[in-house]
Amino acid sequence: MEEQTILRGTVAAVVYQNPENGYTVMRLSAEDGESVTVTGTVPQVNAGERLVITGMWSKHPSYGVQFKAEVLERMMPETETEILGYLSAGTVKGIGAKTAQKIVSLFHGDTLDVLEREPERLSAIPGISLQKAKQIGESFRSQLGMRRLVEYLTAHALPAELAVRLYRAYGDHAMDAIEENPYFLTEPLLGAGFAQVDAFALDAGILPGDPRRVEAGVLFELRHNLGNGHTFLPADKVAAATAMLLSLEPELIESAMDRLNEMGCMVTEPLLGLRACYLPELYEAETYVRDRVAAMVAEPVKTPVNLARLLGEVEQTAGMRYCAEQKDAIATAAGSRLMILTGGPGTGKSTTVNGMLALFDRMQLTTLLSAPTGRAAKRLQEISGRDASTIHRLLEAQFSPETGMMEFTHDESEPLKLDALVVDECSMVDIELMASLLRALPPRCRLILVGDPDQLPSVGPGNVLSDLIRSGVAPTVRLTEIFRQAQKSLIVMNAHAVNQGKMPELGVKDRDFFFMRRRDAQTIVPLVCELCAERLPKNMKIPTEDIQVLTPSRRYETGTKELNKALQAVLNPPSPEKREKNRGDFLLREGDRVMQIRNNYDILWKKADGTGTGAGVFNGDIGTVREINPAAETLTIAFEDRIAIYAFELLPELELAYAMTVHKAQGSEYRAVVLVCSGGAPMLRTRSVLYTAITRARELLVLVGDEHTISVMTANDRRQKRYSGLKVRLQNP
């Protein structure tokens, strides 16, 4: 079943095709007369085409034997009968069955040559104008170009799925562009892996020290380290990493870095006693945030003359008395263009935000609420009683095919219409998102940033909230008083204890924080499964869907990979009524809880209530597999209020989410959390990981593990160093 085979035949029907990446399911009439289901990346394939496909046979659990295409060659139809069948199938835009008959009757075996080289001759046929003839020719040439490009890529062991993006950007010149400099395939617009492209380039005759190769290696290192949170890298580290990547002398790397600076592909400047190397977009984002924050802080704002009376009215309406810190925060918001509100759990941040909102209402300010993730926005909406959206939705994110990047509708040219914006969970906001947010604010808008800098920093580059607070340039109020009601919660008190480097209280049995001692994976994993499937739903009346398992690591015996397999087996076991799809290292089943693990701006969705449509599913979005359709090769996934359809080739963007890492849980809050603390990578056994995990639980936290690991995490206040220039830029504008 796994031996590579060559299959020849004619496309009988196209069952499914994704126009964005060319993934296709089709029926092929093989030369021996057998009808075969073929799957793979075959952009713009149509009924009637003859193909020579190299691939492997596989057996689908529901649909039997299929052929997975790896390399293919298209054989254009030759006889009049073949050409007529090819065009009659709607292969070329503007040609239907009747028009195909007229064209073939006139041009016979020369039909395809006419379409490619002399399409204006089609205007001799009644009903085809000269303009329409040219459009038909353009459509046909586009298809030929795409097909030739796919054949070129597959022949050189490059991903065929690059073809759609390549042809969209470069048209008929795509192959010329690859031959001129194959390393452009690694740019964000195309996204090919550096190692794969490098192997192709070296095989094609590019020398190891070729400037194109060295420059691409430098840019790869800078882009790669965005994933580690850095906005820049010191020049010596860039040079050393690139020299190791390419097995070259550092002198060649230094020369390439100088050329990249001259071309504007990299920005280098002295910073913090280093030669800081930035990608241009990161440099622009960091300096823009610096400039806009400085302008907002410097710009005076009129504080209401009757502020004391307004505060009294807010308290009276809310039926409560704010503490001194809360009053200070609300008053600061009234008198600032930009302010930061921070504090740990139980210190009244939500109450204070509601007080600010009530005050802004009395000041007749139009105020909007936002947060980085859907879950955080939903929680903000629940605590405020007002609409809240993700930052991406607020700014109206959309994918640009021209740049291959996400763009926002709202910016300086089309700012948001509001007087004040409150953004919660700001520790998750990276430098580029903060720059985009600031660009969308009208000149005199107020901005309130709410967050906890002691939690884990953003997944993306930068350390924005912490840098803003530590710079001291923006008014900041830190709430420290833990309210009496919150003091009854061991979740709250243990979170504060951990944040101060003290061991959490593990011996109490009648509160909302429980410790269950287990010292090895053989006992931890079964207990976690039992807690989620039986004990918490039965004894604590918390349904399974309200329980989230968290663990610091993806790997090891108690990482997300193993926990998800075990939890899936007990929470969503196999059933004849539930279809499944293998995703390589695990399988997906109808009813599974899943998570999107990277931003994808192309996935189409519709509102669950049918009121609208849109595009884009983002890193960290959680949903449930509603349906698996093997025939169409798609999954239907229900997110919060949206329904999205995934083609099977997008499965690498999904993971099971019964268990997730603490990093992925940032910005979310769950009714109950089962937290695994046992072993794991040393770099993940830190205080900030433990503190962030504890603060994800709203009503109940069950900590499963051993005291030694908890003690190590509590004592370890080491944070991964991030190269960020925002703090020093704010202090030295």
Side-chain angles (χ1 to χ4, degrees):
M1 277 285 179
E2 294 187 0
E3 185 178 347
Q4 203 169 62
T5 306
I6 295 177
L7 185 67
R8 293 178 173 84
T10 303
V11 179
V14 177
V15 178
Y16 169 81
Q17 186 165 76
N18 185 321
E20 292 297 327
N21 54 32
Y23 182 81
T24 301
V25 180
M26 59 186 171
R27 300 293 298 173
L28 191 80
S29 295
E31 288 183 340
D32 61 3
E34 185 181 359
S35 180
V36 179
T37 298
V38 178
T39 65
T41 301
V42 193
Q44 296 192 359
V45 69
N46 291 281
E49 287 191 66
R50 292 190 299 137
L51 303 177
V52 179
I53 309 171
T54 302
M56 292 191 297
W57 294 99
S58 64
K59 189 169 184 179
H60 191 282
S62 302
Y63 287 82
V65 175
Q66 296 183 340
F67 193 79
K68 292 191 175 183
E70 296 178 355
V71 180
L72 65 90
E73 180 183 358
R74 299 177 191 252
M75 308 294 290
M76 294 302 290
E78 296 175 351
T79 68
E80 288 189 33
T81 302
E82 289 174 345
I83 294 171
L84 179 61
Y86 172 69
L87 294 179
S88 297
T91 302
V92 180
K93 186 177 180 181
I95 299 179
K98 292 182 179 179
T99 303
Q101 181 68 58
K102 295 176 182 177
I103 294 173
V104 175
S105 296
L106 181 60
F107 298 112
H108 308 289
D110 296 329
T111 294
L112 298 186
D113 286 336
V114 171
L115 289 175
E116 181 179 7
R117 298 182 178 89
E118 301 176 282
E120 61 274 5
R121 292 177 61 188
L122 297 176
S123 61
I125 297 172
I128 299 181
S129 65
L130 180 60
Q131 181 181 4
K132 183 177 180 181
K134 291 179 178 179
Q135 289 173 344
I136 290 172
E138 185 178 335
S139 172
F140 183 68
R141 284 193 299 272
S142 172
Q143 290 188 20
L144 284 182
M146 177 74 77
R147 291 164 186 159
R148 290 166 182 157
L149 184 56
V150 170
E151 291 167 9
Y152 178 86
L153 292 172
T154 55
H156 291 89
L158 290 170
E161 56 265 26
L162 286 175
V164 176
R165 299 192 292 273
L166 260 174
Y167 198 83
R168 183 187 290 158
Y170 292 91
D172 292 333
H173 303 292
M175 282 185 285
D176 295 335
I178 294 173
E179 290 172 357
E180 180 181 342
N181 181 7
Y183 289 98
F184 86 97
L185 295 172
T186 64
E187 294 175 359
L189 173 63
L190 300 170
F194 183 86
Q196 198 171 29
V197 173
D198 193 40
F200 161 73
L202 292 173
D203 286 344
I206 287 182
L207 297 175
D210 188 296
R212 295 169 294 180
R213 180 174 187 255
V214 186
E215 291 162 9
V218 171
L219 294 177
F220 167 77
E221 287 295 342
L222 288 174
R223 293 190 189 110
H224 174 74
N225 276 283
L226 296 180
N228 295 324
H230 305 305
T231 60
F232 73 87
L233 285 180
D236 60 339
K237 292 187 178 293
V238 176
T242 309
M244 183 177 295
L245 173 73
L246 304 179
S247 299
L248 294 174
E249 295 300 317
E251 291 77 16
L252 285 173
I253 313 301
E254 291 285 353
S255 298
M257 292 167 66
D258 291 339
R259 291 193 301 272
L260 289 168
N261 272 294
E262 292 171 5
M263 292 185 292
C265 299
M266 187 175 81
V267 178
T268 302
E269 71 171 28
L271 189 71
L272 297 168
L274 305 168
R275 277 181 62 211
C277 298
Y278 286 86
L279 290 169
E281 59 269 25
L282 270 295
Y283 180 80
E284 181 184 356
E286 193 171 274
T287 53
Y288 182 87
V289 171
R290 182 269 316 274
D291 294 342
R292 188 66 192 273
V293 167
M296 294 177 77
V297 171
E299 187 178 6
V301 66
K302 182 181 287 187
T303 302
V305 294
N306 56 345
L307 179 59
R309 178 174 63 79
L310 292 176
L311 276 172
E313 292 175 358
V314 169
E315 284 186 318
Q316 185 175 4
T317 302
M320 64 174 301
R321 300 284 294 177
Y322 297 114
C323 73
E325 290 177 338
Q326 291 175 313
K327 284 185 178 180
D328 180 33
I330 298 171
T332 301
S336 303
R337 183 74 61 206
L338 168 68
M339 81 152 289
I340 300 168
L341 174 66
T342 184
T347 57
K349 288 198 302 294
S350 299
T351 301
T352 305
V353 167
N354 284 335
M356 292 176 180
L357 296 175
L359 178 63
F360 287 168
D361 287 345
R362 283 168 169 75
M363 294 169 62
Q364 298 185 325
L365 302 180
T366 300
T367 307
L368 296 180
L369 308 180
S370 191
T373 67
R375 282 182 173 271
K378 183 178 180 182
R379 184 162 59 92
L380 181 59
Q381 184 168 309
E382 290 170 351
I383 64 176
S384 67
R386 305 176 185 228
D387 289 338
S389 68
T390 64
I391 297 174
H392 287 81
R393 293 231 176 89
L394 177 72
L395 303 184
E396 297 184 36
Q398 54 190 348
F399 178 76
S400 168
E402 290 75 25
T403 64
M405 306 293 285
M406 178 184 60
E407 295 181 353
F408 294 109
T409 299
H410 294 289
D411 55 17
E412 297 96 334
S413 62
E414 191 175 336
L416 295 163
K417 295 178 180 179
L418 76 170
D419 302 309
L421 176 66
V422 177
V423 183
D424 198 9
E425 294 289 354
C426 283
S427 63
M428 298 181 65
V429 178
D430 63 42
I431 191 69
E432 291 185 288
L433 187 56
M434 179 57 73
S436 297
L437 183 66
L438 292 173
R439 286 190 177 97
L441 298 183
R444 300 189 62 79
C445 181
R446 300 165 190 259
L447 177 62
I448 312 299
L449 302 177
V450 184
D452 186 348
D454 295 322
Q455 292 183 19
L456 293 167
S458 60
V459 174
N463 207 4
V464 177
L465 181 63
S466 179
D467 282 352
L468 284 169
I469 293 172
R470 291 185 299 118
S471 72
V473 300
T476 301
V477 177
R478 176 182 280 272
L479 303 177
T480 59
E481 181 180 340
I482 304 174
F483 286 92
R484 185 174 302 170
Q485 184 175 355
Q487 291 177 8
K488 299 176 183 178
S489 167
L490 259 187
I491 293 174
V492 171
M493 300 310 292
N494 277 339
H496 283 277
V498 167
N499 203 28
Q500 295 165 13
K502 302 174 184 176
M503 274 289 286
E505 173 60 62
L506 302 178
V508 180
K509 302 291 185 183
D510 60 350
R511 303 277 283 279
D512 56 1
F513 187 110
F514 296 89
F515 172 62
M516 305 186 76
R517 183 183 295 106
R518 296 294 187 278
R519 301 189 185 280
D520 56 74
Q522 289 69 34
T523 56
I524 288 175
V525 174
L527 175 58
V528 169
C529 292
E530 184 184 355
L531 286 167
C532 295
E534 300 176 20
R535 293 171 68 166
L536 297 186
K538 180 180 179 180
N539 300 331
M540 308 299 289
K541 309 304 180 187
I542 299 177
T544 298
E545 57 268 23
D546 289 344
I547 304 167
Q548 182 62 55
V549 177
L550 299 181
T551 182
S553 178
R554 292 173 52 82
R555 298 182 294 122
Y556 306 104
E557 294 173 291
T558 56
T560 56
K561 184 177 178 180
E562 296 303 322
L563 281 168
N564 270 316
K565 287 182 180 178
L567 287 163
Q568 181 190 47
V570 297
L571 299 179
N572 189 31
S575 165
E577 287 76 39
K578 294 179 180 179
R579 283 169 289 195
E580 300 176 349
K581 171 61 183 173
N582 196 301
R583 184 207 174 278
D585 53 350
F586 66 88
L587 63 82
L588 292 174
R589 183 177 296 131
E590 290 176 338
D592 276 336
R593 185 190 304 176
V594 293
M595 175 171 55
Q596 175 77 11
I597 59 173
R598 61 178 61 96
N599 291 339
N600 187 321
Y601 311 109
D602 293 336
I603 296 176
L604 301 177
W605 52 260
K606 61 181 179 181
K607 287 274 192 178
D609 59 7
T611 59
T613 61
V617 181
F618 302 108
N619 187 2
D621 284 354
I622 304 292
T624 303
V625 179
R626 285 275 186 87
E627 180 186 11
I628 297 175
N629 187 331
E633 301 270 327
T634 59
L635 286 88
T636 301
I637 299 178
F639 295 98
E640 294 275 346
D641 58 346
R642 297 162 292 151
I643 307 294
I645 296 180
Y646 282 61
F648 276 1
E649 76 272 16
L650 293 179
L651 292 185
E653 299 187 4
L654 293 171
E655 288 183 351
L656 291 172
Y658 299 106
M660 68 175 68
T661 64
V662 178
H663 283 79
K664 286 291 187 182
Q666 279 180 272
S668 299
E669 188 179 70
Y670 310 96
R671 186 177 173 189
V673 167
V674 176
L675 173 61
V676 176
C677 283
S678 174
M683 64 180 297
L684 295 173
R685 287 185 284 175
T686 66
R687 183 184 303 173
S688 59
V689 169
L690 181 57
Y691 174 72
T692 301
I694 293 172
T695 55
R696 300 308 89 203
R698 185 170 67 248
E699 292 182 19
L700 177 69
L701 187 138
V702 181
L703 201 161
V704 181
D706 62 87
E707 292 95 330
H708 174 70
T709 299
I710 299 166
S711 176
V712 168
M713 296 180 76
T714 302
N716 182 7
D717 196 27
R718 185 177 66 252
R719 293 175 179 253
Q720 182 182 1
K721 183 176 182 179
R722 290 190 169 201
Y723 289 109
S724 166
L726 181 60
K727 174 177 172 286
V728 70
R729 292 185 190 281
L730 289 168
Q731 292 174 327
N732 303 280

